[in-house]
Amino acid sequence: MSVPSRYLRAAGAHAEIDMDAHNDGAFILSIGGAQQSHVDLADPRNVFYEYLRRIANVLDVFKPAGEPIRVLHLGAGALTLARYVQATRPGSRQVAVERERELLAFVVEHLPLPPGTDCELLVEDASDTLAACTEGAFDAVVLDVFSGADGATELATPEVYRLLTRAAAPGGVVLVNVGDDPPLTFAREQARLLLETGYDVAALGETAMFTGQHAGNIVLAASTWWNPAWTAPLAAAGPHPAALLTGADYTDFAGRKR
């Protein structure tokens, strides 16, 4: 069986969609031979990547279960999280932003969104979207473009973080995925920048990540006020072994003086 492929001009690489050999109804999006996204069309609630599962867990707890929300996705990938929100919170209004034009068209052609999904797809830079965004327009803002200090560095600025929090409604959340290598200098810097917006911030990840000795992903979750009722269910939800840093522990990780 042939594998769908599309050349991405901006990335200078081919995108491919393969079937997941271990999960019927699931597919893997790769770019330049590196796996980027996993989509389970049979059950969009099945989120395979650990960092994305942690983001999904926050989206589960910050509002009552099943309540529709407004979500801005900066970095669309295969729209895995948009599918999850539609499955768990039907009626949600979503916007997904991707600057790679060919990628969005390729994904929706071969991995169409479920019927009834209200998700506007925009081809533009995330910074432009944020600059034009109405204050408080979204209940959740998800930034998923960082893969170490060499990726999307134009977004790793105090101004972008200010715009991220500005786009979130009162009681909403800002979620940032940061991939990094030891000693996590870039991830710690992003943690500090988000903290300096004045928001209450938590960090979620595999326990060993916070030693600074392993490569991987850390999810930063920010709100105007971190509800203590979120902490226990998030810690229990994993994926395990899981750690969730708040308060002084988060400040220590970010390297900011208390």
Side-chain angles (χ1 to χ4, degrees):
M1 181 181 295
S2 63
V3 175
S5 177
R6 182 77 53 87
Y7 182 71
L8 309 180
R9 287 174 291 179
H14 281 87
E16 296 182 343
I17 294 175
D18 293 279
M19 290 188 297
D20 183 343
H22 305 289
N23 189 349
D24 290 342
F27 298 84
I28 298 169
L29 169 69
S30 300
I31 297 177
Q35 294 185 2
Q36 298 291 329
S37 300
H38 182 277
V39 172
D40 190 338
L41 294 185
D43 183 4
R45 293 167 295 183
N46 176 26
V47 177
F48 182 75
Y49 288 168
E50 288 192 0
Y51 85 86
L52 207 57
R53 180 68 255 179
R54 298 184 202 281
I55 292 176
N57 291 342
V58 176
L59 294 179
D60 284 345
V61 304
F62 91 108
K63 294 284 187 183
E67 179 180 298
I69 57 176
R70 301 163 297 165
V71 188
L72 173 62
H73 306 270
L74 300 169
L79 299 166
T80 305
L81 195 61
R83 302 169 198 272
Y84 180 83
V85 171
Q86 171 61 21
T88 57
R89 297 180 176 276
S92 294
R93 293 193 297 110
Q94 304 186 71
V95 176
V97 179
E98 173 60 55
R99 65 180 178 181
E100 184 72 74
R101 180 178 299 275
E102 291 89 354
L103 180 59
L104 270 182
F106 179 59
V107 166
V108 297
E109 177 184 352
H110 295 282
L111 302 172
L113 289 168
T117 303
D118 182 358
C119 186
E120 182 181 4
L121 305 178
L122 300 179
V123 179
E124 59 187 30
D125 288 334
S127 55
D128 293 337
T129 303
L130 287 171
C133 188
T134 302
E135 184 173 356
F138 296 95
D139 299 304
V141 180
V142 181
L143 180 63
D144 186 10
V145 297
F146 291 142
S147 182
D150 296 330
T153 53
E154 73 278 5
L155 299 178
T157 67
E159 174 63 13
V160 167
Y161 276 88
R162 186 189 70 79
L163 291 173
L164 284 171
T165 55
R166 175 179 173 273
V173 291
V174 173
L175 294 152
V176 181
N177 171 51
V178 186
D180 202 6
D181 298 313
L184 305 186
T185 302
F186 180 72
R188 295 177 194 273
E189 172 67 9
Q190 302 317 299
R192 183 183 63 78
L193 288 177
L194 190 51
L195 187 63
E196 290 180 350
T197 64
Y199 268 44
D200 233 353
V201 194
L204 301 88
E206 198 272 330
T207 302
M209 278 299 299
F210 294 105
T211 68
Q213 299 175 4
H214 303 275
N217 296 73
I218 289 174
V219 172
L220 308 177
S223 185
T224 49
W225 174 69
W226 183 263
N227 188 338
W230 300 343
T231 302
L234 286 174
H240 297 292
L244 191 156
L245 307 185
T246 59
D249 292 334
Y250 180 93
T251 302
D252 288 344
F253 172 75
R256 177 176 158 183
K257 293 181 179 179
R258 301 181 199 172

